[in-house]
Amino acid sequence: MKFSALERNWVMYDVGNSALVLLNTSVVPIYFSAINTGASSADLVSAWANAQTIASLAVALLMPILGSLADYAGNKIKFFLGFFLTGLVLCFAQALPLSAFAFLIIYVLCTVGLNSSMTFYDAMLCDITTDERMDAVSSAGFAWGYVGSTIPFIACLGLIFGGPGLLGLDKLLCTRLSFVITGAWWLVFTIPLLKTYRQVHGKERTVKEKFLVNMKSTFQGIGNTMSAIAKNKVLLLYMVAFFFYIDGVHTVISMATSYGASLGIDSTQLILALLVTQFVAFPSAIIYGRLAGKLGTLTMIMVAVLAYVGIVLFAAFFLTDAVEFWILAFLVGLFQGGIQALSRSYFGKLIPKHQANEYYGFFDIFGRYASVMGTLLVSVVTSLTQDPSLGVLSIGILLLVGFVILIKLAGLQKQAELSSAS
């Protein structure tokens, strides 16, 4: 499908921010382990899980309020820019020689900036394309994000592994410089969107409201949106299902490297395996977008959820060495982009476009609180049992609950189609 210039620029932001996401899920946990000397493997997994939990919780609490404010005409780009710049500055700040605790604080704040900008970015999808093109455009964003992010990532790997021998630089310094490379990449691929995006759908201002009056109407709007979601059975069921199944997706992504390191797998193997994930995810995400057009978006989401159940079981019971981690990385790549892209676009089709930010704010509540629950569950189970495998296994229950709700949602939609046909 041929994309418009605005659609291409929107996709480019996925290319930019995915570089930092890839760095965060591969190199950063290993770097954190290197500067956090003396900690046990279980302590490292727990600390990393707690950091993910705090970052996700902060985004989940902020987004409904800020999303409602951003729905006013012209506000969306301002909120997007503010959180993007916050994340960018803190990305560069991680290059400073910091203690493990100070680094973790800056990492959490940077992650809040990154993930918050992505909430407003997701809501832009309603402005830059139509419902009919939404699956394909959303899938293209994830697909090109996966393959594009490998370019700065390979440069970072070359510096980390080649810098000490070729340039005589300390390996930790080379790792810190990778934040500079990644931040620069993120900036370059964000500029086209900033130049061309214009908000189409939004709540119009009838008067120049004072701040307190504006905040009051914002909270009233949040209450009205909550009521509307509660009355819309299809939307409510989907959001509850999303709450459970996306937990497995986010937790597998955020904890994979840390979990692999706790099993004693070499850091080089971990990073290279995750690099393969990106290349596998590129065609898989595009194929998923096309299959959604033929088989239905909801059907393909359900296929991916079942696949993630299998992935979690494999990680808990069979993952012991580098070869099996490579297999895990390949399997994740097959379904990761598809389930994220279709979850984003399916939600966009169900909501009123003029309140996209507000609804995507609630979408993030369900998605981020699921991440809070997942990583916290891994942290608690791992700490209590001193066995990271049991922590990973606990995620499978949540995925199954999400799948059961999706089955109910599919039945509800089929009934609605039969009723409209008769």
Side-chain angles (χ1 to χ4, degrees):
M1 186 175 71
K2 187 176 180 180
F3 296 123
S4 68
L6 183 54
E7 288 172 339
R8 287 197 301 271
N9 291 342
W10 183 86
V11 166
M12 286 301 101
Y13 185 71
D14 253 330
V15 175
N17 72 63
S18 293
L20 181 55
V21 173
L22 179 56
L23 194 74
N24 284 347
T25 55
S26 54
V27 172
V28 177
I30 297 170
Y31 174 70
F32 175 68
S33 299
I35 62 177
N36 197 359
T37 55
S40 68
S41 61
D43 289 339
L44 289 172
V45 171
S46 296
W48 192 249
N50 288 335
Q52 302 293 334
T53 300
I54 293 169
S56 297
L57 183 60
V59 175
L61 292 174
L62 284 173
M63 284 308 101
I65 300 172
L66 298 182
S68 181
L69 288 170
D71 274 326
Y72 285 103
N75 275 6
K76 194 180 297 185
I77 191 66
K78 297 175 184 176
F79 281 90
F80 170 78
L81 180 60
F83 280 104
F84 158 67
L85 290 176
T86 299
L88 181 66
V89 169
L90 291 171
C91 176
F92 288 131
Q94 289 176 95
L96 299 172
L98 302 166
S99 66
F101 182 70
F103 174 82
L104 204 58
I105 291 175
I106 291 180
Y107 167 79
V108 168
L109 295 174
C110 176
T111 303
V112 170
L114 168 67
N115 290 338
S116 298
S117 75
M118 290 167 68
T119 299
F120 299 108
Y121 166 71
D122 288 347
M124 290 177 183
L125 185 60
C126 297
D127 293 320
I128 61 98
T129 192
T130 62
D131 282 358
E132 294 74 22
R133 298 168 64 86
M134 207 172 279
D135 285 337
V137 174
S138 181
S139 297
F142 276 103
W144 285 105
Y146 286 129
V147 72
S149 65
T150 60
I151 297 173
F153 186 68
I154 291 172
C156 292
L157 292 185
L159 180 62
I160 292 169
F161 293 114
L166 297 176
L167 304 176
L169 299 176
D170 179 73
K171 194 168 187 177
L172 287 180
L173 174 60
C174 293
T175 304
R176 289 195 292 268
L177 290 176
S178 66
F179 290 105
V180 178
I181 295 172
T182 303
W185 179 271
W186 187 14
L187 174 62
V188 168
F189 281 90
T190 304
I191 291 174
L193 180 62
L194 294 175
K195 286 184 174 180
T196 57
Y197 171 75
R198 298 293 182 271
Q199 186 171 343
V200 175
H201 304 287
K203 297 182 291 189
E204 294 297 330
R205 305 173 192 269
T206 55
V207 293
K208 291 186 177 180
E209 299 168 327
K210 294 182 180 179
F211 177 76
L212 291 178
V213 176
N214 202 16
M215 287 300 297
K216 181 181 178 181
S217 62
T218 293
F219 281 103
Q220 287 176 341
I222 292 173
N224 293 335
T225 299
M226 291 175 65
S227 178
I229 291 173
K231 293 175 182 177
N232 187 331
K233 194 171 182 180
V234 170
L235 183 57
L236 181 61
L237 271 179
Y238 173 65
M239 291 181 73
V240 174
F242 176 76
F243 173 81
F244 285 100
Y245 77 70
I246 206 64
D247 168 71
V249 177
H250 286 167
T251 307
V252 168
I253 293 170
S254 63
M255 297 299 298
T257 304
S258 181
Y259 176 61
S262 74
L263 297 176
I265 299 174
D266 180 68
S267 60
T268 303
Q269 294 284 347
L270 294 175
I271 292 172
L272 292 177
L274 289 177
L275 186 60
V276 169
T277 300
Q278 303 301 107
F279 288 108
V280 174
F282 169 65
S284 297
I286 293 176
I287 291 170
Y288 243 74
R290 293 179 179 176
L291 288 175
K294 296 179 180 180
L295 303 177
T297 307
L298 187 58
T299 299
M300 295 310 300
I301 290 175
M302 292 170 68
V303 169
V305 173
L306 273 184
Y308 260 93
V309 172
I311 288 170
V312 168
L313 292 174
F314 176 81
F317 291 114
F318 301 103
L319 179 57
T320 57
D321 57 30
V323 173
E324 287 154 1
F325 190 85
W326 279 71
I327 295 172
L328 178 73
F330 180 84
L331 293 174
V332 169
L334 287 177
F335 300 98
Q336 177 178 306
I339 194 170
Q340 289 178 312
L342 296 186
S343 295
R344 175 169 66 184
S345 58
Y346 185 71
F347 184 76
K349 296 174 185 178
L350 298 177
I351 63 174
K353 304 298 184 289
H354 67 285
Q355 292 176 281
N357 275 301
E358 196 168 299
Y359 274 81
Y360 270 103
F362 281 98
F363 188 66
D364 255 9
I365 281 187
F366 282 71
R368 301 304 173 187
Y369 270 116
S371 298
V372 169
M373 184 169 57
T375 52
L376 183 60
L377 190 61
V378 172
S379 175
V380 170
V381 173
T382 302
S383 297
L384 291 176
T385 64
Q386 293 297 298
D387 186 351
S389 297
L390 292 178
V392 170
L393 183 60
S394 64
I395 306 167
I397 298 173
L398 302 173
L399 285 163
L400 288 173
V401 171
F403 182 76
V404 170
I405 299 173
L406 286 175
I407 291 176
K408 187 174 181 180
L409 175 60
L412 186 65
Q413 283 196 325
K414 191 171 184 179
Q415 287 179 359
E417 290 172 3
L418 290 174
S419 298
S420 61
S422 60

